Amino acid sequence: MRTLKRGIYSAILAVIALVFAILTLLNLAFILVKRGPKKMFYKKKRDEEPACLRDSVYGEHGYLHLEEVRIHYVASGPAEKPLLLLLHGFPESWYSWRHQIKEFSKDYRVVAIDMRGYGDSSKPSGIRRYKLECLVKDVKQIITALGYSSCILVGHDWGGAISWAFAGCYPEMVDKVIIMNSPHARVFKKYLQSHLAQFKKSWYMFFFLVPFLPEIYLSLNDYKPFEVMFKGKKNGVRTDATTTEDVEVYKYLYPNRHAFTGPINYIRAGLFYPSSSWLSQKVTKPVLLIWGCRDLALETGLADCCKEYAYDLKIEYIKDSSHWVQMDHVEKVNSLMKEFITAT
């Protein structure tokens, strides 16, 4: 029976993915006719690393050699201070936490990583190697490799989903948890199945199930989707906190279309391989959920549903913030983080 259900589920995913693939191809054909192949496939040469990626104001770069992958990280602040571990989302990097690194490095050992598949971290092949179980194990090994037994865990987007799961599985390794615009994995699954609005917003996830085409799509017109995501009027950061130079950083970190495969595999694995029950433990440590209400990928209603998976959950809504809340309303987010962390 389980095999049959699995087969039906996979077939439904395949049909939905095919529909979105066809719609995307039609859209690409329209763009090709309108703009021409030269502009559509243009890619600027980026040989020099943006200076900000090596700016000492963000700390020192290093690598952790885990059981399966090598993780690149940036660390700032005294080594004897408590660990503040930052996990980014799609399609980002450690650089997404630049404002928080500078703010908290006086009082904490702040470490922002490139998740597996991203930036200068290892990019293992195969969708299975991006299952939530693998990502949770990475976090466990990262904390230990950094010389700590616990941390204040902060996650955004996919980093938030991992933080939910990790805090539930290893409560002894977290002191407090801060999550931004990311629901618990089980909450998202239930909500997706019961709310048409969320299903519509999640179209890209089903499109990402198609092999190769999403990678090509994201790299077209000199990575135009990055400009739409971070600077667009609808999707982008609503304040002026993110600049054109910042967007160039993300473009540099994806030197070719193949660089998108690891990040996209997070979503493929999330849909193909639903997380195991052991990853759905209720979080016993205090959780702060910061939610930007102008998120075009996630419904605000998801936030309140997360109460089912935390005994002590505080939700802070930022009404005029986009999905990229930690880059959008920097002062507000940092203030909320400080207040939560220092509260007894």
Side-chain angles (χ1 to χ4, degrees), residues 5 34 53 64 142 230 232 234 244 262 264-265 284 287 289:
K5 287 183 178 179
K34 184 179 179 180
L53 284 179
L64 300 172
I142 286 168
F230 294 115
K234 291 184 178 181
T244 300
I264 291 174
N265 278 345
T284 57
V287 180
L289 179 57

Side-chain angles (χ1 to χ4, degrees), residues 49-58 61 94-95 245-246 249:
E49 180 182 54
C52 56
L53 284 179
R54 292 291 168 180
D55 193 330
S56 60
V57 71
Y58 300 122
H61 294 251
W94 71 265
Y95 187 71
E245 288 74 22
D246 293 327
V249 168

Side-chain angles (χ1 to χ4, degrees), residues 259-316:
F260 286 103
T261 300
I264 291 174
N265 278 345
Y266 278 63
I267 295 169
R268 289 167 175 158
L271 290 174
F272 278 132
Y273 306 107
S275 57
S276 303
S277 58
W278 68 275
L279 291 164
S280 300
Q281 301 296 318
K282 198 167 183 177
V283 180
T284 57
K285 295 298 177 69
V287 180
L288 170 63
L289 179 57
I290 301 174
W291 200 277
C293 298
R294 295 294 190 93
D295 192 325
L296 288 191
L298 296 169
E299 286 284 290
T300 301
L302 285 160
D304 192 65
C305 295
C306 291
K307 292 177 180 177
E308 181 183 349
Y309 288 95
Y311 287 99
D312 182 4
L313 174 64
K314 181 179 182 181
I315 305 175
E316 293 283 356

